[in-house]
Amino acid sequence: MQVDEYLHRIGAVRPARPDLEGLRHLQERHVLTVPFENLGYHLDEEIHLGGRVVDKIVRQRRGGGCYETNPAFGMLLTALGYDVEILPGRVFRPDGLGPPYCHLALRVSVGGVPWLVDTGFGRNSRRPLRLDDPGPQPDPHGVFHVRDGEVTCDGRPLYRVEDRPARLDDFRPTLWWWRTCPDSPFLQDVFCSLPTDGGRATLRGRRLTVDGVATELTDDAAVFAAYRKYFGIDLDRLPRDPVARAAGVILDDAPGSRP
């Protein structure tokens, strides 16, 4: 029943067998329907690594970061008969390669061929990428390369995954850092993003960008409506805006903003 609910949530058809065609279909549907978002970090919600995140994605119709969407998607793939492993990764930042275990991706083996599956990076591919092919891999989101675990898109380095698989519990220390450290990017910005037919829809605080066109939303009602229209998310309160708080603007007493 839970598998059927998950498939319905992402608008996917159950594969007849755990083959590559089914994997491509499932990843594409997941990427196009489950937002890359960090709202929970600013709504005082707990961030889970285990099965409880499936309920968040399926029944609450929310999204999340890589620690949430990829393990949940991995559970779905495992239930459908796929061979799934968790791979730790390091993200490329302006000042160099980030620390270990700051990214979580999946390795899915189909017929002995290893595929990189990622639904939680924001700029990830829409379809699986071969881990053993260093050549160009065209995708609706760009031209990707995977060389010695390093993933690039249109020549821009994104992250590097290790070859040795990890356990979900291995990510708990870094999840604590993402969740509590003032330097955590997830605490410095509120964002929600989802690909569209013409590009991408992204809401950062009150700035909505749809297919390259940006709009400043002037009131809470417009923000609630944007979450609903572009991401399918119904909120009963808005996440706190860390940018405004850092600038000394107090929003906690604004309608819809109180925790």
Side-chain angles (χ1 to χ4, degrees), residues 194-218:
L194 196 65
T196 67
D197 291 337
R200 178 171 292 274
T202 301
L203 182 58
R204 290 184 176 273
R206 293 178 179 271
R207 186 177 180 83
L208 174 67
T209 304
V210 180
D211 300 339
V213 179
T215 305
E216 291 292 337
L217 305 179
T218 58

Side-chain angles (χ1 to χ4, degrees), residues 20 23-24 106-108 110 113-117 128-131:
L20 180 57
L23 180 62
R24 284 174 172 158
L106 304 175
R107 177 167 58 200
V108 182
V110 181
V113 177
W115 295 89
L116 177 66
V117 171
L129 302 173
R130 282 193 66 150
L131 278 165

Side-chain angles (χ1 to χ4, degrees), residues 30-42:
H30 204 285
V31 169
L32 292 175
T33 57
V34 178
F36 178 64
E37 51 105 333
N38 71 336
L39 307 184
Y41 287 74
H42 304 279

Side-chain angles (χ1 to χ4, degrees), residues 19-31:
D19 57 13
L20 180 57
E21 181 181 359
L23 180 62
R24 284 174 172 158
H25 168 68
L26 292 168
Q27 178 173 337
E28 186 162 35
R29 292 308 311 158
H30 204 285
V31 169

Side-chain angles (χ1 to χ4, degrees), residues 19-256:
D19 57 13
L20 180 57
E21 181 181 359
L23 180 62
R24 284 174 172 158
H25 168 68
L26 292 168
Q27 178 173 337
E28 186 162 35
R29 292 308 311 158
H30 204 285
V31 169
L32 292 175
T33 57
V34 178
F36 178 64
E37 51 105 333
N38 71 336
L39 307 184
Y41 287 74
H42 304 279
L43 288 168
D44 295 326
E45 297 175 351
E46 293 186 32
I47 308 299
H48 299 287
L49 284 172
R52 292 173 65 180
V53 75
V54 174
D55 182 76
K56 176 184 178 183
I57 291 173
V58 175
R59 296 191 174 93
Q60 299 178 38
R61 303 191 69 81
R62 289 276 302 280
C66 65
Y67 285 10
E68 299 172 281
T69 64
N70 281 331
F73 188 44
M75 293 174 193
L76 173 65
L77 294 176
T78 300
L80 291 171
Y82 286 94
D83 179 10
V84 181
E85 295 176 303
I86 292 173
L87 296 182
R90 304 175 67 183
V91 177
F92 282 95
R93 305 195 180 283
D95 57 350
L97 198 59
Y101 287 82
C102 62
H103 185 54
L104 184 158
L106 304 175
R107 177 167 58 200
V108 182
S109 298
V110 181
V113 177
W115 295 89
L116 177 66
V117 171
D118 193 349
T119 65
F121 191 71
R123 298 187 303 276
N124 49 263
S125 63
R126 189 184 297 187
R127 297 167 185 159
L129 302 173
R130 282 193 66 150
L131 278 165
D132 60 351
D133 183 358
Q137 301 189 51
D139 182 86
H141 291 172
V143 177
F144 288 79
H145 287 81
V146 183
R147 298 188 180 100
D148 298 323
E150 183 174 309
V151 183
T152 64
C153 177
D154 295 333
R156 178 182 180 182
L158 301 181
Y159 58 86
R160 180 182 296 163
V161 291
E162 296 183 14
D163 183 63
R164 185 174 63 180
R167 304 170 306 161
L168 202 54
D169 281 345
D170 294 334
F171 293 84
R172 294 194 182 279
T174 43
L175 174 60
W176 176 83
W177 184 89
W178 284 110
R179 188 71 182 88
T180 62
C181 181
D183 294 333
S184 165
F186 272 37
L187 295 181
Q188 297 173 2
D189 195 6
V190 180
F191 60 81
C192 187
S193 186
L194 196 65
T196 67
D197 291 337
R200 178 171 292 274
T202 301
L203 182 58
R204 290 184 176 273
R206 293 178 179 271
R207 186 177 180 83
L208 174 67
T209 304
V210 180
D211 300 339
V213 179
T215 305
E216 291 292 337
L217 305 179
T218 58
D219 56 51
D220 286 355
V223 179
F224 280 119
Y227 277 121
R228 187 177 305 110
K229 176 179 179 179
Y230 295 100
F231 311 104
I233 295 177
D234 282 302
L235 297 176
D236 56 9
R237 57 193 173 98
L238 293 181
R240 291 191 298 270
D241 186 342
V243 176
R245 290 174 67 86
V249 179
I250 306 301
L251 298 177
D252 286 353
D253 291 329

